[in-house]
Amino acid sequence: MALINENFLKLKAGYLFPEIARRVKAFTEANPEAAKRLIRCGIGDVTEALPEAVRYAMHEAVDEMGNRGTFKGYGPEQGYDFLRKAIAENDFQARGINVDADEIFISDGSKCDTGNILDIFGKGNKIAITDPVYPVYVDTNVMIGNTGDADENGAYAGLHYLKCGPENGFVPAIPNERVDLVYLCYPNNPTGATATRAQLEAWVQYALKNDTIILYDAAYEAFIQDDSIPRSIFEIEGARDCAIEFRSFSKNGGFTGMRCAFVVIPKGLMGKTASGEKQAIHPLWSRRHSTKFNGASYIIQKGAEALYTAEGKSQVKALIEHYMGNAKLLVQACKDAGLAVYGGVNAPYVWVKTPSGLTSWQMFDKMLNEANVVITPGSGFGSAGEGYFRISAFNSRANVEEVCTRIKALTK
Ligand code: MLT
């Protein structure tokens, strides 16, 4: 019999969102009438239609594929130049950030990228993650063998947990010890918190001093409303020598079902071999892409490029305004209900303290059974998330207004 990767056996029962889906399915089967009024604010999945500019661009791309003269087979694994250039110019250079097109690697999603990045790092790295955290960072480290077993709180031996809570604004304090890799995500999933320029400067200083690489997940940067908050780690001086950035079209362009994202790796970013020789990270990721990935589809990349046209930009702006309008309503409803609420101001996630000492899963069950609203239990993001729940602002306005009414009724 073939040996299996036993690291998978260390994983907790199920990935958070499939586990929620399983519970919701059981509820809908047992309560078909109540299920009709179910509103899903669990997984952060977009609900509004794709921007028109994207649809037109993809229609044209489909027609190109239908013509022998313009048909495309395999594309460049790292992404088409037209998209890499559009990203470099619009997301970075136009904002005075030094990122070149060939430092951008197009992919089919940030979930894959933040997991796959571990392929190019060695064993024995000290790895820090925030708690609460996007579970993919943890689970992929478990799968690849970078951790020991989980304790009764679900914390894995070998990972350095950086506690985040209201006391530090959900941005971790700089650790006293050195680590090799640290995952930071701002605007944050799940807490909706943002990191200030000064906080990111402190992290970059720490990383430079300790030869740490920051894995910076900026999938939610488009939701930032406050211009003083950095949208990219590369706005911070020195970050090109210590950071990799992950970006996604999922939430700004409505691409969760389309799949397109990118990673930025500065060419000068270095790691080292076991014998201590410096090695650039960029060619390793490029090599990985060439071997394990055949590129995102041409049609999807044409759609993503259209997000950078004048029409595309204004359609994205409208989407962001819609979801952030939802977030504002949800924050206010939670406040009106007397709940302690965080996030939802520069991020599409609202992070709420459970009332009356309920655990996160008790609150999940209460919301499901009594309000028929699906939320995400905070403990699914780590032990520091216990006692919280997350409401996603990705929904129609009518649904969000209804959720607000039900939250207020539930906590009366
Ligand atoms: C979430 O709800 O946390 C996100 O949708 C997950 C993801 O983007 O993979």
Side-chain angles (χ1 to χ4, degrees):
M1 246 184 246
L3 291 172
I4 54 136
N5 176 353
E6 289 187 32
N7 295 314
F8 278 70
L9 305 180
K10 296 178 198 161
L11 291 166
K12 284 180 284 163
Y15 182 60
L16 175 61
F17 295 107
E19 174 59 20
I20 291 174
R22 193 186 63 73
R23 289 185 186 219
V24 172
K25 186 164 179 275
F27 171 82
T28 51
E29 279 166 8
N31 306 280
E33 272 315 301
K36 287 186 191 149
R37 62 193 294 274
L38 202 65
I39 303 179
R40 293 168 197 269
C41 297
I43 193 165
D45 193 4
V46 292
T47 54
E48 304 310 294
L50 274 178
E52 194 177 65
V54 172
R55 300 199 310 266
Y56 286 159
M58 291 201 303
H59 279 301
E60 272 176 32
V62 169
D63 289 341
E64 282 181 69
M65 294 299 255
N67 176 332
R68 201 172 187 290
T70 47
F71 170 78
K72 306 244 174 334
Y74 291 126
E77 295 91 350
Q78 290 74 11
Y80 281 98
D81 281 345
F82 62 76
L83 182 55
R84 299 173 92 188
K85 277 190 188 140
I87 293 168
E89 284 166 17
N90 289 279
D91 282 339
F92 298 102
Q93 293 157 9
R95 296 194 167 128
I97 307 170
N98 174 15
V99 167
D100 287 334
D102 62 358
E103 295 176 316
I104 292 165
F105 296 86
I106 310 298
S107 75
D108 58 355
S110 284
K111 186 194 231 180
C112 323
D113 285 336
T114 52
N116 290 334
I117 199 76
L118 292 174
D119 274 5
I120 61 168
F121 290 106
K123 293 278 166 257
N125 280 324
K126 285 191 185 162
I127 297 166
I129 54 148
T130 60
D131 181 9
V133 72
Y134 179 43
V136 171
Y137 314 153
V138 176
D139 286 5
T140 53
N141 272 289
V142 176
M143 288 172 180
I144 207 166
N146 284 343
T147 74
D149 288 324
D151 66 16
E152 64 283 359
N153 296 320
Y156 287 93
L159 286 183
H160 295 250
Y161 288 89
L162 307 171
K163 292 280 174 210
C164 293
E167 64 289 349
N168 57 13
F170 300 96
V171 179
I174 303 293
N176 295 324
E177 56 193 320
R178 75 165 294 280
V179 296
D180 298 291
L181 295 172
V182 57
Y183 291 82
L184 295 177
C185 169
Y186 290 99
N188 186 254
N189 179 14
T191 65
T194 48
T196 63
R197 185 169 296 276
Q199 285 168 322
L200 291 180
E201 280 168 356
W203 272 102
V204 167
Q205 283 313 310
Y206 166 84
L208 292 173
K209 191 165 148 221
N210 291 287
D211 280 337
T212 304
I213 291 183
I214 299 173
L215 300 174
Y216 195 74
D217 186 346
Y220 298 93
E221 63 78 30
F223 295 86
I224 292 175
Q225 308 289 302
D226 175 346
D227 287 340
S228 72
I229 294 169
R231 288 169 178 269
S232 164
I233 192 72
F234 298 118
E235 287 182 41
I236 310 298
E237 204 183 327
R240 285 183 57 85
D241 294 321
C242 65
I244 292 175
E245 182 161 297
F246 302 91
R247 292 269 193 115
S248 170
F249 297 111
S250 283
K251 312 291 159 89
N252 62 345
F255 271 45
T256 54
M258 302 253 292
R259 312 309 306 148
C260 198
F262 60 95
V263 181
V264 184
I265 306 188
K267 277 178 272 186
L269 181 69
M270 295 288 170
K272 66 169 189 191
T273 64
S275 55
E277 285 142 38
K278 283 192 169 181
Q279 168 61 50
I281 301 289
H282 183 279
L284 302 184
W285 186 244
S286 188
R287 184 70 174 78
R288 188 226 169 259
H289 245 45
S290 308
T291 299
K292 289 199 176 178
F293 188 54
N294 263 330
S297 106
Y298 174 71
I299 296 165
I300 300 291
Q301 290 191 61
K302 283 309 270 184
E305 182 195 25
L307 293 169
Y308 294 103
T309 60
E311 303 76 40
K313 283 179 187 172
S314 87
Q315 289 156 14
V316 167
K317 189 164 173 274
L319 280 176
I320 302 285
E321 275 169 14
H322 167 77
Y323 292 127
M324 290 313 292
N326 287 350
K328 195 171 177 187
L329 291 176
L330 289 165
V331 167
Q332 193 54 49
C334 291
K335 282 185 180 161
D336 292 348
L339 299 169
V341 53
Y342 308 91
V345 177
N346 291 290
Y349 294 126
V350 181
W351 185 246
V352 194
K353 192 96 190 85
T354 59
S356 333
L358 292 180
T359 67
S360 298
W361 277 109
Q362 283 169 343
M363 189 64 191
F364 174 87
D365 288 337
K366 188 174 169 68
M367 289 287 281
L368 182 60
N369 291 301
E370 296 174 31
N372 306 140
V373 173
V374 181
I375 46 94
T376 307
S379 56
F381 298 101
S383 58
E386 182 54 276
Y388 291 90
F389 64 102
R390 191 192 76 173
I391 314 175
S392 161
F394 293 108
N395 223 314
S396 66
R397 183 57 50 86
N399 273 353
V400 165
E401 283 168 353
E402 178 61 22
V403 168
C404 291
T405 307
R406 293 189 201 172
I407 287 174
K408 288 188 229 171
L410 188 70
T411 49
K412 256 200 189 125

